[in-house]
């Protein structure tokens, strides 16, 4: 089987792996107090063009999201997110287990708007003196979203503005932030994201690392005690340098976005082939996750050879399927897939 | 500086690293649903001589402890542990953050006894109809303990018996379980531990892996939903195979205990040297953590060249210091340390 | 201002108050270990025709709901409830603060169906091996609902059946259970509810008591440790007899349902008047909460003299308003309201 | 049986009960938004000589303590308290269930000192960069303590000073604050307490009310969102006026302290009798809780007629017993007890 089911099917990018091998027998302090973590922090600050942010690295996305939200919110406060948010549907109630309600709003293709956020706050202020309901205090966006869509600068700016106006923290779950920034139609970059957010994360696990998310914390209230919340929730890796080494390598010279562009390009090739064969998409996007509506025979045939992710029935003749590419997706595998698609469709 | 401050100063044992390199570009499913994890589960079951246990692998010790305890306890139930337990003093309140009180009892050199556990339960039953106090429902031991001491079979058996009698789950935090089992004066092994416990973990992070703890779950109530609790608390690694590969390699042919024996042997060499130079110990033990009481001049001199862990003042002329060895400790570094100790002491 | 804004505007029914006065200087044990609580437990068991249930009394509805749910669920489990459920929209995230996700389903007039519950469970079983999502383990209905609607025996029976089939606990938030049972078109009674549920509460605060909800616990797993969860969450009243005295008096000879019938009758009178004057309703029901759609002039005029609850705009000429009656609503006040409605509408 | 087992054996003081009867059929808004609560807030501010504090009333002590602490602390922060604190030993792990570790220090007769608090903070700062341990952020004292002892002004002032210096919130659990303030050797008053604390509560349940604790919140961070935390934890009483009416009545003209003085006086009479008969005390104090060491024959005889609280064996011939008086303790019952004590001892 050839894997197109996720962007975490292989190990780490060889450059990262090599650095882990080279440094393996070096001795360092534990828990992130080593030179490699210090170096990675510098590198990430530089990539964000902001020397005043705190940077912490944790092993995975659920940890990054839960820690960022738990560190920010008081007990009566909740986080606004689209229904489709990873924290709402793919993390087994981690935010609720940390004590907080997710104030869901219907997204469109995984995205939400400043107007929707504003409305939640307006309704809160009008509601019964605010005592019987949770206070909206944070917004959680995903970029690129779970549907592979992206926010533009203007969109993010107005969301950031409404957050400032409404006294909300803005958090971006950036598990796939590279794919989003590197999309051909994107005008986003890390410095702009850092400017707009209180806290966000830069995903490694789905973007070329063995594992790891770098959490960039700009807000001083959230930053205070952040490492303690990390430790309390199991997010402080003993051999922290494994994270430092990988993140430095990914971000020091643009490898991160180069890998993202590669994945997006591989996805574009598949997208083009599907479109050329008349396949429609459940969601239009320009990043590494495709959501084609596959006729049953095509899906059935492809499934014998390729691992894809089933998302749901579309109608009585077709299903919505997720095809994911990554830094590791080879042109050869994409060509195989494309020629199989064409062959099946043109029978 | 030469590191003796912890047992997690280097990366992974070369055999583990090699396997990670060899398998790096293979494609597998995520979240532990891969062949390497399946293989590791088999290997661990075999090492425990129990095919009926569930085995789950998480990244770190705080995650292992918190997940095992959170999966076991209802809201009004607490966990009995010695004051010195890692969960009580080194994990930033992770158990309390999961909602549970730690019912501490004074340990002796990190160990607790069946009689102490029994007494906590007796007092609970006598207390005001039990309503105003937390129900003791679990016991958490560490093996080897935070002071490097170990339990013998008889001790563990009577603790297990009192747990059965009192309807308590028995959990062993095995972050250093290899060092404990491999101690020269130990009669313990994994099958016996598996027989006595409801759940325990086999530590990787401090025992030769990049990271990872394998949680062995025998109790069916705790096992039910365990992976969901793992995911909820951020303990389900996306590229789960990294854990499977490492644990299989560690346990398939005894490498794990070989490394533990090496570390214990290195510690024994340092212990012998210290004793020969008249140094007393805060705690007597036979594993990889030494707690010598170092005179100020010796500690001062050694600190210029070696990284040690300060534990506290002993009297006005000496301090308690922790010296740790590991799989990676070289004979050469031990000889250097020993000859420096002797030289300073014999001035 | 004449109160129609809630069913908790006055103190306690005089019979309850008299008993509190009569017994005031008697000495009893605290925390529910007194003869009055014992008597109330017997009375409630008799009213439920079930001697095998545990009965616990707490001060308020949020406590009753949170304790029942916290006592039932493990960390990875959630509770299915309609979007309109009190626990979802009126209790400031209490369930999430206790660590659990509410798995909301769209209700119809506050009610949900067995088919909807079944579907949630079906989707759960199909979802990605169930690991990344919360396990549905409990259903929370409200009866009468927040919209004053009620379930019939057949509806509740099929919901109970699906809960048994899907291994879900069934909980009924009965803050207004009397109004529901006493509705003219109701075929429900407490014994049938006790037969169908694992746990439910009988509301006092909105049904004639100063305060108090009696939680009836049939399920043995939930019952075990229930009083400890109560104490932990602040639900164990020191002078517990205040609850026992009130609940005994309410339920010993049918006063509870007599008061409910009175409230429903008062509501019916207002409903009839509104209908006669051509007013439509947002929700049709037969209990003590009315949701008429009031034209702006009518609402404006009434608001000068009567306290009503604004629920939202209906269109540019009218609003949805809640009118509540209770045991304490006088015929005189209803006649005043009715004649004012007719006078304003017939101008 | 004559009750001396607690200070909550009777109902409410007749003046409070009368006011509840008089106001019973009045209509008010719910959830504390009524004139009686507004009046009580004014009365309590006046009693504290501070118009700038927020005042909230909840039903019981566990709710008051949990809400005050949950509203104050972030996830990685804990509360310093003596081992004997009610929150540590009598509330079924409520603070841990809210996510926070209690950082216990050994008390002396229920009291702790500024030096002990300072030491906890000093050790925290020295501990491993503070990451692996909980941050001490609050101090919880009880006044009068669980052993009936009291703090003097100077003691409280230096504790308050060290809290300011160490950036700790100071909370006083005042379930028995009246008994403490009204003790014959006390120089404390409510304004001084309000000056020293960030938040404290004035107990009603053990001091003459049916139920209720008034939480006085001076700190603006804790005050923000306090009512939402109250609602979330079930602490917002629907018929809030019941609390307002009682607290106004207790505090408007000094009834509260008059009742406290009465209880203390009744205790002094019993204390004098015990001393005259050669009985020693486990703890010396001047408030309403006595802890005599009763010889077995005396304890055995008294137990036939009086309800006392057993606290533990003292030696093989005597037990420590708690005798409690309250506003409702009659001189007649005290005389009966005293003459029985003398008669038994002088046989």
């Amino acid at each position: 089987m050839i894997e197109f089911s996720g962007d975490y099917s292989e190990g780490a990018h060889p450059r990262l792996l090599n650095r882990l091998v080279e440094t393996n027998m070096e001795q360092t302090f534990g828990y992130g107090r080593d030179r490699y973590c210090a170096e990675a922090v510098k590198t990430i600050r530089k990539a964000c063009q902001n020397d005043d942010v705190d940077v912490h690295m944790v092993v995975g996305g659920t940890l990054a999201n839960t820690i960022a939200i738990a560190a920010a919110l008081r007990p009566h406060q909740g986080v606004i997110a689209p229904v489709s948010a990873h924290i709402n549907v793919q993390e087994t109630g981690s935010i609720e287990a940390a004590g907080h309600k997710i104030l869901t709003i219907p997204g469109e293709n995984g995205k939400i708007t400043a107007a929707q956020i504003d409305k939640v706050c307006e309704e809160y202020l009008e509601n019964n003196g605010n005592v019987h309901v949770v206070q909206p205090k944070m917004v959680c966006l995903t970029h690129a979203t779970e549907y592979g869509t992206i926010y533009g600068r203007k969109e993010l700016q107005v969301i950031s503005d409404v957050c400032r106006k409404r006294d909300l923290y803005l958090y971006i779950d950036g598990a796939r932030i590279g794919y989003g920034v590197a999309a051909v139609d994107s005008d986003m970059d890390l410095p702009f994201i850092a400017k707009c957010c209180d806290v966000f994360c830069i995903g490694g696990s789905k973007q070329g690392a063995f594992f790891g998310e770098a959490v960039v914390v700009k807000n001083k209230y959230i930053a205070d005690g952040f490492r303690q919340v990390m430790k309390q929730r199991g997010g402080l890796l003993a051999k922290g340098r494994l994270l430092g080494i990988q993140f430095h390598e990914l971000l020091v010279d643009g490898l991160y976005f180069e890998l993202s562009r590669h994945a997006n390009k591989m996805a574009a090739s598949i997208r083009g082939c599907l479109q050329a064969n008349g396949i429609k998409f459940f969601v239009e996007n320009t990043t590494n996750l495709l959501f084609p509506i596959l006729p049953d025979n095509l899906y059935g045939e492809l499934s014998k050879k390729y691992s894809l992710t089933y998302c749901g029935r579309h109608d009585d003749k077709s299903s919505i399927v997720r095809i994911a590419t990554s830094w590791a997706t080879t042109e050869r595998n994409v060509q195989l897939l494309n020629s199989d698609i064409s062959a099946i469709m043109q029978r």
Side-chain angles (χ1 to χ4, degrees), chain A residues 165-185:
Chain A
K165 182 182 84 172
R166 293 298 193 175
D167 200 19
L168 303 171
Y169 305 122
L170 178 56
Y171 172 59
I172 291 186
D173 172 352
R176 294 187 176 99
I177 206 166
Y179 301 129
V181 165
V184 289
D185 58 340

Side-chain angles (χ1 to χ4, degrees), chain A residues 128-301:
Chain A
N128 199 10
N130 311 324
V131 171
H132 299 250
V133 293
V134 166
Q135 181 192 6
K137 185 63 187 175
M138 196 173 205
V139 170
C140 173
L141 303 183
T142 316
H143 185 79
T145 71
E146 294 75 8
Y147 288 114
T149 52
I150 58 172
Y151 291 86
R153 279 190 182 229
K154 273 190 197 160
E155 286 172 304
L156 188 59
Q157 184 66 63
V158 292
I159 287 174
S160 179
D161 290 346
V162 81
C163 288
R164 297 287 178 271
K165 182 182 84 172
R166 293 298 193 175
D167 200 19
L168 303 171
Y169 305 122
L170 178 56
Y171 172 59
I172 291 186
D173 172 352
R176 294 187 176 99
I177 206 166
Y179 301 129
V181 165
V184 289
D185 58 340
S186 166
D187 60 357
M188 194 70 75
D189 57 27
L190 289 187
F192 190 80
I193 289 170
K195 199 166 140 270
C196 289
C197 287
D198 290 280
V199 51
F200 68 100
C201 71
I202 301 173
S205 306
K206 292 168 177 167
Q207 300 243 173
F210 269 146
F211 52 81
E213 315 287 304
V215 187
V216 181
V217 190
K218 201 175 68 178
N219 184 291
K220 296 305 173 197
Y221 177 88
I222 302 172
D224 179 36
F226 198 87
R227 286 180 78 75
Q228 285 170 298
V229 179
M230 278 173 65
K231 176 62 192 168
Q232 178 180 79
R233 302 199 67 89
L236 195 66
L237 191 64
K239 299 182 183 178
R241 74 194 206 189
L242 303 178
L243 291 162
I245 288 165
Q246 293 185 85
F247 272 103
H248 172 70
E249 201 64 25
L250 280 172
L251 285 154
V252 68
D253 62 3
L255 174 62
Y256 188 72
F257 294 109
E258 191 184 306
L259 300 181
S260 300
R261 274 189 299 271
H262 170 79
N264 288 350
K265 197 176 141 197
M266 294 298 100
S269 172
I270 301 168
R271 187 183 296 112
C273 171
L274 287 163
Q275 285 170 332
N277 284 284
I279 303 296
K280 304 274 181 238
F281 289 80
F282 180 66
V283 177
E284 303 284 338
N285 67 42
T286 56
T287 62
N288 76 316
L289 302 179
L290 305 176
F291 293 87
I293 300 165
L294 298 188
D296 288 348
N297 71 320
L298 177 57
Y299 184 30
E301 286 294 310

Side-chain angles (χ1 to χ4, degrees), chain A residues 56-72:
Chain A
H56 304 286
M57 290 166 284
V58 298
V59 169
T62 300
L63 283 168
N65 293 337
T66 314
I67 292 165
I69 292 169

Side-chain angles (χ1 to χ4, degrees), chain A residues 67-118:
Chain A
I67 292 165
I69 292 169
L73 298 186
R74 295 181 59 206
H76 59 292
Q77 298 174 335
V79 55
I80 297 172
V83 170
S84 58
H86 206 263
I87 56 167
N88 192 45
V89 290
Q90 285 289 297
E91 301 184 0
T92 323
S94 59
I95 304 307
E96 291 86 357
H100 301 289
K101 194 176 191 77
I102 303 176
L103 303 162
T104 53
I105 47 183
E108 190 165 347
N109 298 336
K111 293 171 59 179
I112 52 175
T113 66
Q116 286 179 303
I117 296 164
D118 204 47

